[in-house]
Amino acid sequence: MKRVVGPGFQKQVFDKVREVPKGSVTTYGDVAGALGSRSVARHVGFAMANADDDVPWWRVINSQGKISFRGDDGRGDLQEQLLRQEGHDFTPGGKVIAFADVRFAFAAPVEL
């Protein structure tokens, strides 16, 4: 089995997230899958917690189409604000409206 998480993983996550265009969103699992294993979605989340603004971290949301606040309401509020600036609206329950339509599809991962 190919190892997905290891040295350089965070950079791979950041590079993959930079592919998500303005106006689109993706999920932690989608990024993990694009890197070769959806089972490392939680690790993608850990990487996103370390992302600077040169990585569009705000475009990564959970598989329900919602922001994962995870104890940092300030960052979650900022994420919602940045997504709204990119044209996204939210349902009263916090889901990105038309989530399926704005969800970015990565190209299949390349086997090394």
Side-chain angles (χ1 to χ4, degrees):
M1 174 185 246
K2 180 184 157 204
R3 182 177 173 166
V4 176
V5 177
F9 178 74
Q10 185 167 284
K11 181 184 180 318
Q12 291 176 329
V13 169
F14 292 171
D15 289 346
K16 193 55 64 177
V17 171
R18 285 185 184 104
E19 293 178 21
V20 181
K22 182 177 179 179
S24 294
V25 294
T26 191
T27 70
Y28 301 102
D30 291 345
V31 174
L35 293 173
S37 176
R38 292 186 69 81
S39 68
V40 299
R42 185 176 302 266
H43 291 82
V44 170
F46 296 149
M48 288 292 85
N50 293 314
D52 292 324
D53 289 341
D54 67 322
V55 177
W57 58 266
W58 57 91
R59 295 181 187 148
V60 184
I61 58 178
N62 68 33
S63 62
Q64 297 175 332
K66 298 178 179 181
I67 293 169
S68 293
F69 287 89
R70 300 277 196 251
D72 187 352
D73 291 342
R75 188 162 165 112
D77 291 340
L78 175 59
Q79 185 174 14
E80 181 178 341
Q81 177 186 1
L82 292 168
L83 287 171
R84 286 185 184 280
Q85 287 175 3
E86 292 191 356
H88 300 287
D89 285 317
F90 297 82
T91 66
K95 183 175 181 177
V96 170
I97 292 177
F99 173 53
D101 296 332
V102 297
R103 189 172 183 175
F104 181 73
F106 291 100
V110 177
E111 289 294 323
L112 300 177

